[in-house]
Amino acid sequence: TQLLEQSPQFLSIQEGENLTVYCNSSSVFSSLQWYRQEPGEGPVLLVTVVTGGEVKKLKRLTFQFGDARKDSSLHITAAQPGDTGLDLCAGGDGNKLVFGAGTILRVKS
Amino acid sequence: GAGVSQSPSNKVTEKGKDVELRCDPISGHTALYWYRQSLGQGLEFLIYFQGNSAPDKSGLPSDRFSAERTGGSVSTLTIQRTQQEDSAVYLCASGPGTKNIQYFGAGTRLSVL
């Protein structure tokens, strides 16, 4: 069974700070996705990375896929209160996704 | 609306009762997934439908859980003889069937008393 571990589990920071959350596995994934989930809502896809070493930027968010396609990171620059939520990584496993437990992010104004 | 719709949004039931959860996928999406999310946990895969192929039921936790998808569209997840440990948010997602692109509904919060 492929597993994804996310760290930290919980992060509380002030508005304007930078942060990085990590997603690690001992398994290789064909692709890796990051989702954000707000309370009472379903996860919303932020990005998909498929190539080892790939870096994608989405405004203040930078996503990186490890060279060996076993790990990924999400870096947020100048965090905003609107970034508050649950950040989930998910690895492609055939026709399914394997999800990590998520990082709960709280950005205080 | 154009998104994935799930109903009911909340369901409270008594232990031992059966429940049915409904998912209306995005029109034209051939893939449909059910997940379970417990408090503080990630999403646990339950079942996957793709077109007319036999569903992948490998994530169903017990034979009390079943799901069907009628006409390649609406799906129903049924939990028989509910137990307290079944309490969770049940999420449905649909997608075009490629590259694991999935769009999620808001979920059904199930509480078993």
Side-chain angles (χ1 to χ4, degrees), chain A residues 30-31 33 35 37 40-45 48 86 88 91-97 99-102, chain B residues 33 35 37 40-45 48 56 58 89 91 97 99-107 109:
Chain A
S30 58
S31 65
Q33 300 179 350
Y35 290 80
Q37 185 178 22
E41 301 293 329
V44 175
L45 178 64
T48 300
L86 176 67
L88 293 158
D93 178 16
N95 295 319
K96 298 177 292 194
L97 289 174
F99 280 84
Chain B
Y33 309 78
Y35 295 88
Q37 186 175 30
Q41 303 289 323
L43 277 67
E44 174 190 4
F45 167 78
Y48 161 64
D56 178 348
S58 60
V89 176
L91 290 159
K99 298 182 181 180
N100 265 316
I101 302 298
Q102 300 183 25
Y103 298 88
F104 285 83
R109 181 175 296 278

Side-chain angles (χ1 to χ4, degrees), chain B residues 13-19 64 79-83 112:
Chain B
T13 190
E14 294 179 348
K15 178 182 173 181
K17 296 285 180 105
D18 298 351
V19 294
R64 295 186 297 104
I79 309 173
Q80 295 179 310
R81 305 181 303 281
T82 53
Q83 304 293 313
V112 182

